[in-house]
């Protein structure tokens, strides 16, 4: 019956999706990608490769569900080339998105990719 405690519990319920998204981002950020090499890969191929590496390196504890939202087709022709070693997954994703002209938003259940 403590008013402050009830208020705080209400805030947790209201912000549950945001809290979950931040947790997803923290888990993703903690994974170190030992090596990734891409040569003129499409954005989808690059994200698939990153997803496979993250799942393997985290021993299936982190599954980055990538969703591309691109109704105008701006990202369809984007190509990615890079060679990176021993980087956090978030850093690798940043380089992929920079080359493709895209940005990421961490949602409760997925990482949503859209054009800049």
């Amino acid at each position: 019956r403590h008013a402050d405690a009830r208020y705080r519990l209400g805030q947790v319920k209201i912000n549950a999706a945001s809290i979950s998204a931040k947790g997803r981002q923290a888990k993703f950020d903690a994974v170190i990608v030992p090596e990734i090499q891409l040569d003129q890969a499409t954005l989808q191929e690059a994200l698939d490769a990153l997803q496979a590496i993250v799942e393997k390196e985290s021993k299936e504890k982190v599954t980055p569900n990538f969703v591309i939202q691109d109704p105008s087709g701006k990202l369809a022709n984007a190509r990615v080339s890079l060679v990176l070693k021993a980087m956090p997954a978030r850093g690798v994703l940043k380089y992929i998105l920079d080359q493709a002209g895209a940005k990421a938003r961490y949602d409760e259940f997925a990482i949503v990719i859209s054009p800049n």
Side-chain angles (χ1 to χ4, degrees):
R1 295 184 180 187
H2 193 267
D4 190 47
R6 284 197 322 247
Y7 172 77
R8 299 278 182 203
L9 283 172
Q11 290 299 312
V12 168
K13 288 179 184 177
I14 290 170
N15 297 317
S18 175
I19 292 167
S20 179
K22 287 180 182 175
R24 170 180 283 282
Q25 182 176 354
K27 288 179 185 177
F28 182 74
D29 293 353
V31 177
I32 301 297
V33 175
E35 182 176 8
I36 185 167
Q37 295 182 16
L38 302 170
D39 185 27
Q40 294 299 311
T42 65
L43 177 58
Q44 184 65 57
E45 292 168 342
L47 294 174
D48 289 344
L50 180 57
Q51 179 176 349
I53 293 169
V54 167
E55 287 175 352
K56 179 183 175 203
E57 293 303 314
S58 70
K59 297 177 176 59
E60 306 294 327
K61 292 181 182 175
V62 179
T63 301
N65 298 316
F66 293 112
V67 176
I68 298 176
Q69 288 184 341
D70 184 25
S72 62
K74 290 181 181 178
L75 302 176
N77 296 325
R79 298 288 175 192
V80 178
S81 295
L82 51 86
V83 177
L84 300 171
K85 294 182 180 184
M87 283 195 68
R90 185 175 187 180
V92 175
L93 179 60
K94 180 188 178 316
Y95 283 113
I96 290 171
L97 296 179
D98 285 350
Q99 286 190 30
K103 60 185 176 183
R105 181 184 78 232
Y106 290 81
D107 282 354
E108 185 175 5
F109 300 108
I111 300 171
V112 181
I113 308 299
S114 59
N116 280 335

